[in-house]
PDB file of all heavy atoms in Angstrom:
ATOM      1  N   LEU A 252     -26.763  20.436  29.172  1.00  0.00           N
ATOM      2  CA  LEU A 252     -26.524  21.220  30.277  1.00  0.00           C
ATOM      3  C   LEU A 252     -27.338  22.524  30.276  1.00  0.00           C
ATOM      4  O   LEU A 252     -27.875  22.899  31.379  1.00  0.00           O
ATOM      5  CB  LEU A 252     -25.061  21.602  30.357  1.00  0.00           C
ATOM      6  CG  LEU A 252     -24.045  20.669  30.973  1.00  0.00           C
ATOM      7  CD1 LEU A 252     -22.609  21.164  30.867  1.00  0.00           C
ATOM      8  CD2 LEU A 252     -24.390  20.331  32.387  1.00  0.00           C
ATOM      9  N   GLY A 253     -27.534  23.089  29.153  1.00  0.00           N
ATOM     10  CA  GLY A 253     -28.342  24.251  29.102  1.00  0.00           C
ATOM     11  C   GLY A 253     -29.826  23.887  29.375  1.00  0.00           C
ATOM     12  O   GLY A 253     -30.489  24.676  30.084  1.00  0.00           O
ATOM     13  N   LEU A 254     -30.304  22.865  28.900  1.00  0.00           N
ATOM     14  CA  LEU A 254     -31.647  22.470  29.167  1.00  0.00           C
ATOM     15  C   LEU A 254     -31.893  22.125  30.656  1.00  0.00           C
ATOM     16  O   LEU A 254     -32.864  22.587  31.228  1.00  0.00           O
ATOM     17  CB  LEU A 254     -32.126  21.218  28.394  1.00  0.00           C
ATOM     18  CG  LEU A 254     -32.247  21.454  26.800  1.00  0.00           C
ATOM     19  CD1 LEU A 254     -32.449  20.191  26.091  1.00  0.00           C
ATOM     20  CD2 LEU A 254     -33.385  22.398  26.521  1.00  0.00           C
ATOM     21  N   CYS A 255     -30.965  21.421  31.238  1.00  0.00           N
ATOM     22  CA  CYS A 255     -31.113  21.080  32.702  1.00  0.00           C
ATOM     23  C   CYS A 255     -30.959  22.273  33.586  1.00  0.00           C
ATOM     24  O   CYS A 255     -31.548  22.371  34.588  1.00  0.00           O
ATOM     25  CB  CYS A 255     -30.143  19.992  33.066  1.00  0.00           C
ATOM     26  SG  CYS A 255     -30.435  18.385  32.443  1.00  0.00           S
ATOM     27  N   GLY A 256     -30.120  23.169  33.135  1.00  0.00           N
ATOM     28  CA  GLY A 256     -29.885  24.345  33.961  1.00  0.00           C
ATOM     29  C   GLY A 256     -31.020  25.385  33.897  1.00  0.00           C
ATOM     30  O   GLY A 256     -31.332  26.142  34.839  1.00  0.00           O
ATOM     31  N   GLU A 257     -31.692  25.474  32.773  1.00  0.00           N
ATOM     32  CA  GLU A 257     -32.696  26.493  32.553  1.00  0.00           C
ATOM     33  C   GLU A 257     -34.092  26.012  32.895  1.00  0.00           C
ATOM     34  O   GLU A 257     -35.075  26.851  32.845  1.00  0.00           O
ATOM     35  CB  GLU A 257     -32.628  27.058  31.145  1.00  0.00           C
ATOM     36  CG  GLU A 257     -31.324  27.812  30.887  1.00  0.00           C
ATOM     37  CD  GLU A 257     -31.011  28.936  31.789  1.00  0.00           C
ATOM     38  OE1 GLU A 257     -31.973  29.649  32.249  1.00  0.00           O
ATOM     39  OE2 GLU A 257     -29.850  29.072  32.259  1.00  0.00           O
ATOM     40  N   ILE A 258     -34.277  24.792  33.138  1.00  0.00           N
ATOM     41  CA  ILE A 258     -35.650  24.255  33.391  1.00  0.00           C
ATOM     42  C   ILE A 258     -36.172  24.726  34.810  1.00  0.00           C
ATOM     43  O   ILE A 258     -37.390  24.765  35.059  1.00  0.00           O
ATOM     44  CB  ILE A 258     -35.720  22.753  33.238  1.00  0.00           C
ATOM     45  CG1 ILE A 258     -37.161  22.285  33.076  1.00  0.00           C
ATOM     46  CG2 ILE A 258     -35.153  22.128  34.481  1.00  0.00           C
ATOM     47  CD1 ILE A 258     -37.237  20.839  32.621  1.00  0.00           C
ATOM     48  N   THR A 259     -35.256  25.166  35.685  1.00  0.00           N
ATOM     49  CA  THR A 259     -35.659  25.557  37.050  1.00  0.00           C
ATOM     50  C   THR A 259     -36.517  26.873  36.966  1.00  0.00           C
ATOM     51  O   THR A 259     -37.463  27.010  37.748  1.00  0.00           O
ATOM     52  CB  THR A 259     -34.421  25.809  37.858  1.00  0.00           C
ATOM     53  OG1 THR A 259     -33.659  24.670  37.771  1.00  0.00           O
ATOM     54  CG2 THR A 259     -34.812  26.068  39.233  1.00  0.00           C
ATOM     55  N   GLY A 260     -36.131  27.802  36.097  1.00  0.00           N
ATOM     56  CA  GLY A 260     -36.899  29.120  36.098  1.00  0.00           C
ATOM     57  C   GLY A 260     -38.333  28.999  36.007  1.00  0.00           C
ATOM     58  O   GLY A 260     -39.114  29.536  36.804  1.00  0.00           O
ATOM     59  N   PRO A 261     -38.854  28.335  34.909  1.00  0.00           N
ATOM     60  CA  PRO A 261     -40.297  28.214  34.820  1.00  0.00           C
ATOM     61  C   PRO A 261     -40.995  27.402  35.868  1.00  0.00           C
ATOM     62  O   PRO A 261     -42.187  27.529  35.990  1.00  0.00           O
ATOM     63  CB  PRO A 261     -40.503  27.554  33.384  1.00  0.00           C
ATOM     64  CG  PRO A 261     -39.166  27.732  32.700  1.00  0.00           C
ATOM     65  CD  PRO A 261     -38.140  27.851  33.733  1.00  0.00           C
ATOM     66  N   THR A 262     -40.271  26.518  36.546  1.00  0.00           N
ATOM     67  CA  THR A 262     -40.886  25.727  37.545  1.00  0.00           C
ATOM     68  C   THR A 262     -40.871  26.272  38.987  1.00  0.00           C
ATOM     69  O   THR A 262     -41.341  25.585  39.834  1.00  0.00           O
ATOM     70  CB  THR A 262     -40.171  24.341  37.558  1.00  0.00           C
ATOM     71  OG1 THR A 262     -38.839  24.487  37.938  1.00  0.00           O
ATOM     72  CG2 THR A 262     -40.303  23.685  36.199  1.00  0.00           C
ATOM     73  N   LEU A 263     -40.330  27.423  39.160  1.00  0.00           N
ATOM     74  CA  LEU A 263     -40.252  28.022  40.523  1.00  0.00           C
ATOM     75  C   LEU A 263     -41.711  28.150  41.195  1.00  0.00           C
ATOM     76  O   LEU A 263     -41.802  27.865  42.338  1.00  0.00           O
ATOM     77  CB  LEU A 263     -39.542  29.394  40.544  1.00  0.00           C
ATOM     78  CG  LEU A 263     -38.024  29.279  40.311  1.00  0.00           C
ATOM     79  CD1 LEU A 263     -37.487  30.781  40.299  1.00  0.00           C
ATOM     80  CD2 LEU A 263     -37.373  28.507  41.430  1.00  0.00           C
ATOM     81  N   GLN A 264     -42.602  28.580  40.378  1.00  0.00           N
ATOM     82  CA  GLN A 264     -43.984  28.736  40.916  1.00  0.00           C
ATOM     83  C   GLN A 264     -44.577  27.416  41.360  1.00  0.00           C
ATOM     84  O   GLN A 264     -45.198  27.224  42.404  1.00  0.00           O
ATOM     85  CB  GLN A 264     -44.893  29.361  39.954  1.00  0.00           C
ATOM     86  CG  GLN A 264     -44.601  30.849  39.733  1.00  0.00           C
ATOM     87  CD  GLN A 264     -45.475  31.508  38.671  1.00  0.00           C
ATOM     88  OE1 GLN A 264     -46.245  30.704  37.969  1.00  0.00           O
ATOM     89  NE2 GLN A 264     -45.541  32.819  38.679  1.00  0.00           N
ATOM     90  N   ASP A 265     -44.330  26.402  40.483  1.00  0.00           N
ATOM     91  CA  ASP A 265     -44.853  25.032  40.843  1.00  0.00           C
ATOM     92  C   ASP A 265     -44.122  24.464  42.067  1.00  0.00           C
ATOM     93  O   ASP A 265     -44.709  23.809  42.859  1.00  0.00           O
ATOM     94  CB  ASP A 265     -44.620  24.156  39.690  1.00  0.00           C
ATOM     95  CG  ASP A 265     -45.469  24.452  38.456  1.00  0.00           C
ATOM     96  OD1 ASP A 265     -46.569  25.020  38.701  1.00  0.00           O
ATOM     97  OD2 ASP A 265     -45.056  24.247  37.413  1.00  0.00           O
ATOM     98  N   LEU A 266     -42.784  24.671  42.178  1.00  0.00           N
ATOM     99  CA  LEU A 266     -42.124  24.212  43.354  1.00  0.00           C
ATOM    100  C   LEU A 266     -42.565  24.876  44.701  1.00  0.00           C
ATOM    101  O   LEU A 266     -42.770  24.266  45.723  1.00  0.00           O
ATOM    102  CB  LEU A 266     -40.597  24.482  43.212  1.00  0.00           C
ATOM    103  CG  LEU A 266     -39.938  23.591  42.236  1.00  0.00           C
ATOM    104  CD1 LEU A 266     -38.434  24.068  41.977  1.00  0.00           C
ATOM    105  CD2 LEU A 266     -39.872  22.107  42.587  1.00  0.00           C
ATOM    106  N   LYS A 267     -42.878  26.213  44.556  1.00  0.00           N
ATOM    107  CA  LYS A 267     -43.387  26.945  45.721  1.00  0.00           C
ATOM    108  C   LYS A 267     -44.817  26.448  46.051  1.00  0.00           C
ATOM    109  O   LYS A 267     -45.000  26.187  47.300  1.00  0.00           O
ATOM    110  CB  LYS A 267     -43.538  28.466  45.295  1.00  0.00           C
ATOM    111  CG  LYS A 267     -44.131  29.339  46.328  1.00  0.00           C
ATOM    112  CD  LYS A 267     -44.188  30.754  45.840  1.00  0.00           C
ATOM    113  CE  LYS A 267     -45.414  31.496  45.903  1.00  0.00           C
ATOM    114  NZ  LYS A 267     -46.634  31.007  46.246  1.00  0.00           N
ATOM    115  N   TYR A 274     -41.224  32.169  48.011  1.00  0.00           N
ATOM    116  CA  TYR A 274     -40.146  32.274  47.010  1.00  0.00           C
ATOM    117  C   TYR A 274     -38.818  32.320  47.712  1.00  0.00           C
ATOM    118  O   TYR A 274     -37.816  31.885  47.111  1.00  0.00           O
ATOM    119  CB  TYR A 274     -40.422  33.425  46.130  1.00  0.00           C
ATOM    120  CG  TYR A 274     -41.459  33.204  45.075  1.00  0.00           C
ATOM    121  CD1 TYR A 274     -42.604  34.007  45.103  1.00  0.00           C
ATOM    122  CD2 TYR A 274     -41.289  32.292  44.149  1.00  0.00           C
ATOM    123  CE1 TYR A 274     -43.594  33.798  44.163  1.00  0.00           C
ATOM    124  CE2 TYR A 274     -42.299  32.070  43.197  1.00  0.00           C
ATOM    125  CZ  TYR A 274     -43.395  32.862  43.190  1.00  0.00           C
ATOM    126  OH  TYR A 274     -44.342  32.699  42.211  1.00  0.00           O
ATOM    127  N   VAL A 277     -37.572  28.797  48.244  1.00  0.00           N
ATOM    128  CA  VAL A 277     -37.258  28.116  46.905  1.00  0.00           C
ATOM    129  C   VAL A 277     -35.930  28.697  46.340  1.00  0.00           C
ATOM    130  O   VAL A 277     -35.083  28.038  45.881  1.00  0.00           O
ATOM    131  CB  VAL A 277     -38.393  28.288  45.943  1.00  0.00           C
ATOM    132  CG1 VAL A 277     -38.008  27.709  44.594  1.00  0.00           C
ATOM    133  CG2 VAL A 277     -39.611  27.541  46.460  1.00  0.00           C
ATOM    134  N   SER A 278     -35.777  30.005  46.480  1.00  0.00           N
ATOM    135  CA  SER A 278     -34.570  30.645  45.918  1.00  0.00           C
ATOM    136  C   SER A 278     -33.373  30.168  46.730  1.00  0.00           C
ATOM    137  O   SER A 278     -32.314  29.992  46.149  1.00  0.00           O
ATOM    138  CB  SER A 278     -34.676  32.139  45.922  1.00  0.00           C
ATOM    139  OG  SER A 278     -34.648  32.679  47.275  1.00  0.00           O
ATOM    140  N   ALA A 280     -33.027  27.230  48.028  1.00  0.00           N
ATOM    141  CA  ALA A 280     -32.728  25.908  47.563  1.00  0.00           C
ATOM    142  C   ALA A 280     -32.040  25.920  46.157  1.00  0.00           C
ATOM    143  O   ALA A 280     -31.245  25.177  45.907  1.00  0.00           O
ATOM    144  CB  ALA A 280     -34.069  25.087  47.420  1.00  0.00           C
ATOM    145  N   VAL A 281     -32.491  26.795  45.337  1.00  0.00           N
ATOM    146  CA  VAL A 281     -31.891  26.902  43.935  1.00  0.00           C
ATOM    147  C   VAL A 281     -30.466  27.428  44.075  1.00  0.00           C
ATOM    148  O   VAL A 281     -29.619  27.179  43.303  1.00  0.00           O
ATOM    149  CB  VAL A 281     -32.714  27.890  43.046  1.00  0.00           C
ATOM    150  CG1 VAL A 281     -32.058  28.132  41.780  1.00  0.00           C
ATOM    151  CG2 VAL A 281     -34.139  27.232  42.845  1.00  0.00           C
ATOM    152  N   SER A 282     -30.179  28.217  45.126  1.00  0.00           N
ATOM    153  CA  SER A 282     -28.798  28.725  45.268  1.00  0.00           C
ATOM    154  C   SER A 282     -27.856  27.645  45.664  1.00  0.00           C
ATOM    155  O   SER A 282     -26.637  27.715  45.508  1.00  0.00           O
ATOM    156  CB  SER A 282     -28.755  29.819  46.351  1.00  0.00           C
ATOM    157  OG  SER A 282     -28.998  29.222  47.663  1.00  0.00           O
ATOM    158  N   ARG A 284     -27.279  25.121  43.807  1.00  0.00           N
ATOM    159  CA  ARG A 284     -26.647  24.736  42.576  1.00  0.00           C
ATOM    160  C   ARG A 284     -25.414  25.529  42.447  1.00  0.00           C
ATOM    161  O   ARG A 284     -24.293  25.056  42.103  1.00  0.00           O
ATOM    162  CB  ARG A 284     -27.568  25.070  41.395  1.00  0.00           C
ATOM    163  CG  ARG A 284     -26.932  24.689  40.133  1.00  0.00           C
ATOM    164  CD  ARG A 284     -27.737  25.072  38.874  1.00  0.00           C
ATOM    165  NE  ARG A 284     -28.880  24.280  38.820  1.00  0.00           N
ATOM    166  CZ  ARG A 284     -29.990  24.658  38.235  1.00  0.00           C
ATOM    167  NH1 ARG A 284     -30.012  25.810  37.591  1.00  0.00           N
ATOM    168  NH2 ARG A 284     -31.050  23.863  38.181  1.00  0.00           N
ATOM    169  N   CYS A 320     -31.021  14.193  39.055  1.00  0.00           N
ATOM    170  CA  CYS A 320     -31.424  15.279  39.940  1.00  0.00           C
ATOM    171  C   CYS A 320     -32.522  16.191  39.333  1.00  0.00           C
ATOM    172  O   CYS A 320     -33.401  16.613  40.059  1.00  0.00           O
ATOM    173  CB  CYS A 320     -30.151  16.187  40.284  1.00  0.00           C
ATOM    174  SG  CYS A 320     -28.961  15.374  41.344  1.00  0.00           S
ATOM    175  N   THR A 321     -32.409  16.357  38.064  1.00  0.00           N
ATOM    176  CA  THR A 321     -33.410  17.127  37.335  1.00  0.00           C
ATOM    177  C   THR A 321     -34.745  16.384  37.461  1.00  0.00           C
ATOM    178  O   THR A 321     -35.838  17.051  37.578  1.00  0.00           O
ATOM    179  CB  THR A 321     -33.083  17.360  35.886  1.00  0.00           C
ATOM    180  OG1 THR A 321     -31.776  18.006  35.811  1.00  0.00           O
ATOM    181  CG2 THR A 321     -34.103  18.245  35.122  1.00  0.00           C
ATOM    182  N   ALA A 324     -35.873  16.404  41.530  1.00  0.00           N
ATOM    183  CA  ALA A 324     -36.055  17.751  42.208  1.00  0.00           C
ATOM    184  C   ALA A 324     -37.557  18.185  42.193  1.00  0.00           C
ATOM    185  O   ALA A 324     -38.027  18.522  43.335  1.00  0.00           O
ATOM    186  CB  ALA A 324     -35.264  18.828  41.549  1.00  0.00           C
ATOM    187  N   PRO A 325     -38.330  17.994  41.153  1.00  0.00           N
ATOM    188  CA  PRO A 325     -39.740  18.440  41.312  1.00  0.00           C
ATOM    189  C   PRO A 325     -40.622  17.572  42.241  1.00  0.00           C
ATOM    190  O   PRO A 325     -41.626  17.945  42.695  1.00  0.00           O
ATOM    191  CB  PRO A 325     -40.300  18.480  39.926  1.00  0.00           C
ATOM    192  CG  PRO A 325     -39.176  18.260  39.042  1.00  0.00           C
ATOM    193  CD  PRO A 325     -38.057  17.791  39.850  1.00  0.00           C
ATOM    194  N   LEU A 333     -34.813  19.216  48.158  1.00  0.00           N
ATOM    195  CA  LEU A 333     -34.693  20.016  46.900  1.00  0.00           C
ATOM    196  C   LEU A 333     -33.285  20.737  46.873  1.00  0.00           C
ATOM    197  O   LEU A 333     -32.729  20.754  45.831  1.00  0.00           O
ATOM    198  CB  LEU A 333     -35.827  21.018  46.935  1.00  0.00           C
ATOM    199  CG  LEU A 333     -35.958  21.954  45.697  1.00  0.00           C
ATOM    200  CD1 LEU A 333     -36.218  21.031  44.453  1.00  0.00           C
ATOM    201  CD2 LEU A 333     -36.947  23.009  45.943  1.00  0.00           C
ATOM    202  N   MET A 336     -30.634  18.181  45.907  1.00  0.00           N
ATOM    203  CA  MET A 336     -30.689  17.862  44.400  1.00  0.00           C
ATOM    204  C   MET A 336     -30.025  18.990  43.654  1.00  0.00           C
ATOM    205  O   MET A 336     -29.281  18.687  42.722  1.00  0.00           O
ATOM    206  CB  MET A 336     -32.124  17.642  44.022  1.00  0.00           C
ATOM    207  CG  MET A 336     -32.828  16.409  44.463  1.00  0.00           C
ATOM    208  SD  MET A 336     -31.970  14.913  43.937  1.00  0.00           S
ATOM    209  CE  MET A 336     -31.176  14.404  45.506  1.00  0.00           C
ATOM    210  N   PHE A 337     -30.327  20.210  43.938  1.00  0.00           N
ATOM    211  CA  PHE A 337     -29.738  21.315  43.242  1.00  0.00           C
ATOM    212  C   PHE A 337     -28.199  21.383  43.491  1.00  0.00           C
ATOM    213  O   PHE A 337     -27.463  21.693  42.601  1.00  0.00           O
ATOM    214  CB  PHE A 337     -30.420  22.646  43.590  1.00  0.00           C
ATOM    215  CG  PHE A 337     -31.702  22.871  42.875  1.00  0.00           C
ATOM    216  CD1 PHE A 337     -32.821  23.306  43.613  1.00  0.00           C
ATOM    217  CD2 PHE A 337     -31.855  22.677  41.519  1.00  0.00           C
ATOM    218  CE1 PHE A 337     -33.975  23.548  42.970  1.00  0.00           C
ATOM    219  CE2 PHE A 337     -33.009  22.853  40.911  1.00  0.00           C
ATOM    220  CZ  PHE A 337     -34.146  23.265  41.620  1.00  0.00           C
ATOM    221  N   GLN A 340     -26.636  18.626  41.508  1.00  0.00           N
ATOM    222  CA  GLN A 340     -26.679  19.078  40.115  1.00  0.00           C
ATOM    223  C   GLN A 340     -25.600  20.099  39.806  1.00  0.00           C
ATOM    224  O   GLN A 340     -24.876  19.964  38.794  1.00  0.00           O
ATOM    225  CB  GLN A 340     -28.096  19.662  39.795  1.00  0.00           C
ATOM    226  CG  GLN A 340     -28.349  19.823  38.363  1.00  0.00           C
ATOM    227  CD  GLN A 340     -29.762  20.322  38.203  1.00  0.00           C
ATOM    228  OE1 GLN A 340     -30.358  21.030  39.000  1.00  0.00           O
ATOM    229  NE2 GLN A 340     -30.362  20.051  36.966  1.00  0.00           N
ATOM    230  N   GLU A 344     -22.324  19.702  37.397  1.00  0.00           N
ATOM    231  CA  GLU A 344     -22.115  20.722  36.347  1.00  0.00           C
ATOM    232  C   GLU A 344     -20.733  21.321  36.387  1.00  0.00           C
ATOM    233  O   GLU A 344     -20.101  21.600  35.426  1.00  0.00           O
ATOM    234  CB  GLU A 344     -23.185  21.793  36.424  1.00  0.00           C
ATOM    235  CG  GLU A 344     -23.219  22.731  35.232  1.00  0.00           C
ATOM    236  CD  GLU A 344     -24.367  23.699  35.352  1.00  0.00           C
ATOM    237  OE1 GLU A 344     -25.309  23.442  36.078  1.00  0.00           O
ATOM    238  OE2 GLU A 344     -24.284  24.680  34.625  1.00  0.00           O
TER     239      GLU A 344
END
Side-chain angles (χ1 to χ4, degrees):
L252 277 177
L254 289 173
C255 287
E257 297 302 320
I258 198 167
T259 307
T262 60
L263 286 178
Q264 290 179 345
D265 294 329
L266 291 172
K267 178 181 128 354
Y274 282 115
V277 175
S278 68
V281 173
S282 70
R284 182 185 292 155
C320 291
T321 301
L333 183 66
M336 289 299 106
F337 282 132
Q340 194 177 26
E344 190 176 343

